[in-house]
Amino acid sequence: MLLTTLMLIPLVGSIVVFLLPAAKVTLAKQIALGFALATLVGSVLMVLGLDNSSGGLQHVESYDWIPAFGISWTLGVNGISAALIVMAAILVPVVIVAGWWDAENSGRGTVKGFFALILALEVFIIGVFTANDLFLFYVFFEAMLFPIYFLIGRFGGLQRAYAAMKFLLYSLVGGLFMLAALIGLYVVSSRELGQGTFDYVTLTSLNIDPATQKMLFLGFFFAFAVKAPMVPFHTWLPDATAEATPGTSTLLVGVLDKVGTFGMLHFLLPIFPEASKFYAPVIIVLAVISIFYGALLAIGQTDVMRLVAFTSISHFGFIVLGIFVMTSQGLSGSSFYMVNHGFSTGALFLVMGYLVSRRGSKRIADFGGVQKVAPILTGVFLLSGLSGLALPGMSSFISEFLVLAGTYAVNPTAAIIATLGIVMAAVYILWLYQRMMTGVPSKEVEETVTEISRRELVAIAPVLAIIIALGFVPQVALNVINPAVDQVQTYVGVTDPESAVVIEGSGS
Amino acid sequence: MNVSVEYQALAPIIILLAAGVLSVLVEAFIPRTLRRPIQLMLVLASIVLAFAYVVINATAQLAGDPVTNGGQVKGLRQLAAGGAVAIDGPGMVIQGIILLVSFVSALLLAERQIDPQGDAFASRSSTLPGSEDERQFTAQGWLQTEIWPLYLFCVGGMLLFPVSNDFLTMFVALEVFSLPLYLMASMARRRRLLSHEAALKYFILGAFSSAFFLFGAALIYAATSSISFSTVAVAMENSSQDGLIIPGIGMIAVGLLFKVGAVPFHQWVPDVYQGSPTPLTAFMSAATKVAAFGALLRVFYVAFGGMRWDWRPMMWVIAILSMVIGSLLAVTQTDMKRMLAFSSVAHTGFILLGVISTSAAGLSSTLFYLLAYGFTSVGVFAIVGLVRDASGEATHLSQWAGLGKKSPWMASIFALFLLALAGIPLTSGFTGKFSVFTAAIDGGATPLVIVAVVASAIAAFFYARVIVLMFFTEPPVDGPSVVVPSAFTTVAIGTSAAFTLLLGIAPQPVLDLVINAGLFIR
């Protein structure tokens, strides 16, 4: 019941906030924050209750839903999903505080609607990471789209309708292919077992013949690749983040897109091991292209929000790379990367949001010399940026290193090319810093850009603290993640090559 | 030959047709002012009574133990009227769906509050459009009740259509329900010329397709010396007359596929849906489709079941064309009713997936889809009828802009229906699609499911576009508004919405029902 309860907290919060009178603006925000914090406490308790010696599903609960189709309400977490849930539960209150005035500033929609949607989104986020019935997973996967769709379409910028629609259609199309594969998987299971099922654990034990695996794999992979997003299915992301409020972008890129990579790790590898190995070389090439292409386009952006979006595409390339090399370093690096990326991209989006809301423009050229007028804000910007370029000492460094080390063990070429991505990361972040923060402030910047406010600092400080803390003691997270990574390797039936670089604490 | 009539098994059909006769007498002898309440009582009561009989028949305790009565514990499974009618599980489910949908549609037809001039039907359908007579009758506020006898005959014919067990009974049933539909389609109060054109087109093409059906039946008779489905099925197995049988199957398919509105026999759908009075469109889009699919299932499972390797390729092509062309053309529409008409063509393609499976799962999933689609379709057209400006219904898409701001509740329910049509999880449409797709993959039609998925993606676009239009755009200055309907329409919309949600969230009882309905009897 723990996981269902964890979903009920934000659900109740969402309904309560939605039913408030429209005039009670402050109350709506306070209640939303209260429920978000309660969810955070709940999810921390959930992680503390995990048994780190087991990589299997824990806190499992299962009830029949539609027995005719073998569909059940089955929830459970392993170390990876638990870490992602905590990451999401931390980001939601952060986004609420950081976006305290976003609804008013958008000039459309109601304030209570904005916060009710964020809480509704949190319900589905927890659902999608805990669902261990594939049908249930699909339902949450689709349901998640709607709060985001309304958050972009209602509260976004000028091109919001276009961006929201593009986001929705890309995701729906991906989802439909997954649906076709899901039904195929169901039929396969009913042929093998006599009674079809969507239960995750049962499905991982099926012996699907390789040809069928390859077809079904593609259906799921397409949906996850759109969601992640990987080049060439990525074009919706920059549009969506450019139009969404910074808080929405944080949740969209920081949390929701992880569903794609989480799906690859949690569903594709264990259920379709042969197909995963078969397609791995192609996917590794796509991942390397994503790393490069994302970084290259990030360098060329003139809009700060789009720039952050492209850096994420590059980072998602690293995550996918680590998953499909299938070494323990790669897998635990990718899992840890998912958590770190949520925080570091979140921090970047939020600090960009602070700057954009002051200056009233998203164009990089409209900034310059901010460090003279707002030194603390600049410091926050620098820390977030350095986390984005994976500087040693930041948590993102550990995960990027693990991914590269894990890749090098089996595919040195890919690892070497991917390493160049780090150099490019330094270019886009430092050049961005130079253009926006250094130099002589223009008159507009002097007039509009003010120092970071207390609320803004309170919102972003915990994120930065976590980034640095995990950079020094990554074990806290890795100890939770690693048993689950071992389990994935067992499912796929791979072991690390002899020559693997052994890194203390990075799995077995 | 001594033909016995099993009155209880045939009761639903007899009740409706008898009520139809009674209703004609009411039109003839009861004073004008009293007609409406009496007719309405008659219609609703006969539908409820017929539904009660369907339930009684479906749950009847059978004599003997399960072994001697063919493993059936409950529910009739018998040939009636000398083998002309087959009352069995799927047949009764179809009858039940038709009656439920007809009841809800009757409520829409009875609505008299949303049009300031009265109801959705011409004050006197015998007057020429635009004539002085018409103006006078309208000004005097004349209201007709002549649709009710037509409606009862129509529903009665629909009840017979899917349980007919030979080609002639089926043809008679086809005409009994089609002719009233042609007439009712012509009776719109507003835009009467459009309505007349729709009715004429429907009539001519409908008559043409009926002729195809009859010709096909004649060819089958020539090859097998029988019109009864079970005899035809046996005779076909041993027949070498492929030159008669294959064209016969094709022509019967033309007749039936016309009624369900499958491509390439779909040309009437947009015109008729657009021109007919909207409450009637709601009825037609749901009930006609259910009845016609019921008949299609019976013919192709019972009579042509043994020939499935011959007709499957044809059905594949038709299913693919229906899904793809229906979805693509829906994208280009600017009129709400036409867009929904093309969406209904696409849905025909999805339902055909279940038919093609020719398995128990295919049958039960088709039945579920029909129930789900029937209610959603009635609901969606019910709301289309509510959005009006001074000149009547505002069906142009641009007029729907910003409706979510003016009447959030109605717009939300409409969005629910659209999501169900698009097949979004937790709505009835999703469960329906899921079950037919599963049946199709299990039946070896994986490529069809992939096409269906692509078509669904295209379809999702135009449904989503309407939702965006309603919620994310500013309403035009002199735009239409949502009229507040009377209790009739409110109940109809509420019921449809409830079914749409319920079949999405907790479909298990209904799934049990359609799975336990079993197979057709021969």
Side-chain angles (χ1 to χ4, degrees), chain A residues 459-471:
Chain A
I460 206 166
V463 180
L464 295 175
I466 291 170
I467 291 174
I468 296 171
L470 285 179

Side-chain angles (χ1 to χ4, degrees), chain A residues 67-129:
Chain A
F69 293 134
I71 295 167
S72 62
W73 176 271
T74 304
L75 303 181
V77 286
N78 61 14
I80 301 169
S81 49
L84 288 169
I85 290 171
V86 174
M87 183 262 283
I90 293 173
L91 283 178
V92 170
V94 164
V95 161
I96 289 176
V97 175
W100 205 251
W101 301 107
D102 278 359
E104 282 96 334
N105 291 344
S106 78
R108 285 172 302 270
T110 55
V111 173
K112 61 171 189 174
F114 183 75
F115 291 98
L117 281 172
I118 289 184
L119 286 176
L121 184 61
E122 189 172 20
V123 178
F124 299 135
I125 290 170
I126 298 173
V128 84
F129 285 129

Side-chain angles (χ1 to χ4, degrees), chain A residues 228-231 234-235 237-238 253 287 289-291 293-295 308-318 341:
Chain A
M230 283 181 78
V231 176
H234 65 284
T235 62
L237 184 73
V253 184
I289 293 176
S290 285
I291 294 174
Y293 185 79
V308 181
F310 278 107
T311 68
S312 290
I313 291 170
S314 177
H315 290 153
F316 276 110
F318 278 107
H341 177 255

Side-chain angles (χ1 to χ4, degrees), chain A residues 133-157:
Chain A
D133 176 285
L134 262 72
F135 185 90
L136 192 61
F137 171 78
Y138 175 76
V139 169
F140 285 126
F141 188 83
E142 297 283 271
M144 225 166 51
L145 303 179
F146 291 92
I148 281 281
Y149 173 73
F150 284 104
L151 280 172
I152 300 175
R154 268 268 153 93
F155 303 95

Side-chain angles (χ1 to χ4, degrees), chain A residues 320-341:
Chain A
V320 174
L321 180 66
I323 293 173
F324 278 90
V325 293
M326 298 182 206
T327 55
S328 56
Q329 284 101 352
L331 289 169
S332 54
S334 287
S335 310
F336 192 33
Y337 210 135
M338 285 191 236
V339 176
N340 295 333
H341 177 255

